[in-house]
Amino acid sequence: MPRARPVTAPCSLELCDPDLYAQGRPEELWQRMRQSGSVHEGEHDGRRFHAVLSHARISQVLKEQRNFTSQQGMRLDQNPAATAAASGKMLIITDPPRHGEIRRIVNGAFTPRMVARLEHTMRETVTAALDEVLEAGECDFTRVAARLPLSVICDMLGVPPGDREFMLDRTMVAFGSGEGIDDDPLAPAQAHADILAYYADLLDRRRREPREDIITALAHGTVDGVPLTDEEIFLNCDGIVSGGNETTRHAGAGGLLALVRNPQQWASLREGPELLPGAVQEILRFTSPAMHVLRTATAPVELAGRTLAPGDQVALWLAAGNRDPAVFPDPDRFDVTRRPNPHLAFAAGAHYCLGAALATRELTVLFEELLRRVRSAELTGPPRRTRSILIWGYEALPVRLVAG
């Protein structure tokens, strides 16, 4: 059987170099790799994998549940022991049908009253943040963007307002963007421990005093008649916090930067707010915060003329798929009028992002308020990218916002 021509060794190594995403232009590498084939052989930390960068092939793997599993991990830089411990328990590394049952429990918490409450939380959080920023004039917009998803997640999970600053600090440290983490490599692990300890206490309270929140839903939910264990609940809370925090935060910062660099599109959105829904989808495509997801073959399967064996790992580069010129004409151009826009920012298939609608609404509220209250925005310093092969985002985005 013919095999796709593999990428040269330097390119496969460069794909997993976090400095490329912090300092370089990965779009150029993705394009070169796509031009030389749909599937490439790579290596990360001594483990071989197949990298997929085309939109069509990524979509194929995401939707082939029979031949690919998520239960052997979702990322290249995972801890194998931690993955094994969480496999089949944490939503993102659980396959159907159990995946669907856990998802059903979480979805059941989204009552009409809870959805209305979350909408109020979004608007209140963005308004308060912009009040502060417009008074100060300058800010690091990554901090502003971080407040919105975390306030919503805290509301969803049942964290009281008085504890949310603590959760903001602990979450940012846990996921690599808090102050002082460069001086203490153990700080993220300690922050994770603090978050889990907090949710252990909250879980006890919700078992005694149920509320309309996800902690209550998980505490009282069952799969095949069996209640979820404390471990399963903690793991899924951690997954909700990490997943819900990263997309909105980095897409919000990256979306503002794209508009700063394309002032004519900022003006178009201010003059035509009906363009905003499409603009939010373009922000998601253009920023693509989730860089890659991992799948593992469970049976011999052909992919782009290459036969994969059971156990072969496949890294699906979602961000590269969202820059595929076969699907998105002039893909490196930010265009708020782009139609159609079948981006993969939320993946696809059974693992389509649980919080996609919520993240979309958060970004809509954020940019509604920005466009309504801010006449112009400008950089006051160089943006700083995250050094990561998992998250394509920003560590800092210094800006000046002008009211009007």
Side-chain angles (χ1 to χ4, degrees), residues 328-344:
F328 305 102
D330 196 3
D332 295 332
R333 177 170 58 90
F334 179 73
D335 180 4
V336 299
T337 66
R338 187 180 295 277
R339 305 286 190 284
N341 200 338
H343 64 77
L344 296 166

Side-chain angles (χ1 to χ4, degrees), residues 58-75:
I58 291 171
S59 299
Q60 175 188 343
V61 175
L62 287 172
K63 294 173 182 178
E64 280 196 27
Q65 296 169 209
R66 291 180 302 172
N67 294 320
F68 294 96
T69 180
S70 301
Q71 293 199 182
Q72 295 185 36
M74 288 285 288
R75 49 193 285 184

Side-chain angles (χ1 to χ4, degrees), residues 314-333:
V314 181
L316 309 172
W317 236 259
L318 302 176
N322 283 340
R323 297 298 181 98
D324 189 340
V327 178
F328 305 102
D330 196 3
D332 295 332
R333 177 170 58 90

Side-chain angles (χ1 to χ4, degrees), residues 18-76:
D19 287 331
L20 170 68
Y21 304 101
Q23 302 169 9
R25 283 192 51 80
E27 304 96 317
E28 296 172 359
L29 172 66
W30 298 337
Q31 181 64 3
R32 292 200 309 272
M33 292 180 71
R34 270 194 305 266
Q35 289 172 345
S36 65
S38 298
V39 182
H40 303 274
E41 294 178 357
E43 184 175 318
H44 181 67
D45 285 346
R47 293 192 293 270
R48 305 290 297 174
F49 68 93
H50 301 273
V52 183
L53 289 87
S54 78
H55 187 283
R57 299 305 182 191
I58 291 171
S59 299
Q60 175 188 343
V61 175
L62 287 172
K63 294 173 182 178
E64 280 196 27
Q65 296 169 209
R66 291 180 302 172
N67 294 320
F68 294 96
T69 180
S70 301
Q71 293 199 182
Q72 295 185 36
M74 288 285 288
R75 49 193 285 184
L76 286 170

Side-chain angles (χ1 to χ4, degrees), residues 15-16 21 44 52 74-78 288-295 314-320 388-392:
L15 184 67
C16 291
Y21 304 101
H44 181 67
V52 183
M74 288 285 288
R75 49 193 285 184
L76 286 170
D77 58 352
Q78 64 193 337
S288 293
M291 190 98 69
H292 78 268
V293 293
L294 197 66
R295 294 290 187 270
V314 181
L316 309 172
W317 236 259
L318 302 176
S388 170
I389 65 167
L390 180 66
I391 298 296
W392 200 29

Side-chain angles (χ1 to χ4, degrees), residues 202-382:
L202 189 59
L203 177 60
D204 285 341
R205 281 185 275 162
R206 290 297 175 262
R207 284 191 169 126
R208 297 190 306 269
E209 303 169 1
R211 301 280 179 86
E212 274 191 310
D213 56 44
I214 290 176
I215 290 279
T216 299
L218 291 168
H220 297 274
T222 62
V223 175
D224 296 328
V226 179
L228 297 176
T229 65
D230 286 5
E231 180 188 22
E232 289 172 318
I233 293 172
F234 298 152
L235 286 168
N236 283 291
C237 285
D238 196 48
I240 289 168
V241 170
S242 60
N245 179 57
E246 298 302 314
T247 297
T248 305
R249 181 177 128 210
H250 292 296
L256 177 64
L257 179 59
L259 288 168
V260 167
R261 288 173 170 169
N262 294 273
Q264 74 285 356
Q265 300 209 39
W266 178 280
S268 295
L269 286 173
R270 292 202 74 187
E271 294 168 6
E274 71 279 359
L275 296 174
L276 186 56
V280 168
Q281 296 307 311
E282 177 68 349
I283 287 169
L284 287 162
R285 180 198 74 86
F286 193 78
T287 60
S288 293
M291 190 98 69
H292 78 268
V293 293
L294 197 66
R295 294 290 187 270
T296 303
T298 57
V301 60
E302 183 178 313
L303 185 63
R306 185 185 296 258
T307 300
L308 306 185
D312 281 359
Q313 292 189 325
V314 181
L316 309 172
W317 236 259
L318 302 176
N322 283 340
R323 297 298 181 98
D324 189 340
V327 178
F328 305 102
D330 196 3
D332 295 332
R333 177 170 58 90
F334 179 73
D335 180 4
V336 299
T337 66
R338 187 180 295 277
R339 305 286 190 284
N341 200 338
H343 64 77
L344 296 166
F346 295 124
H351 281 270
Y352 183 76
C353 178
L354 176 69
L358 197 63
T360 299
R361 189 62 196 143
E362 289 172 13
L363 289 169
T364 300
V365 170
L366 174 61
F367 285 97
E368 279 177 353
E369 293 299 325
L370 277 168
L371 292 163
R372 183 176 68 85
R373 301 183 59 186
V374 176
R375 182 174 75 250
S376 63
E378 61 183 24
L379 292 173
T380 58

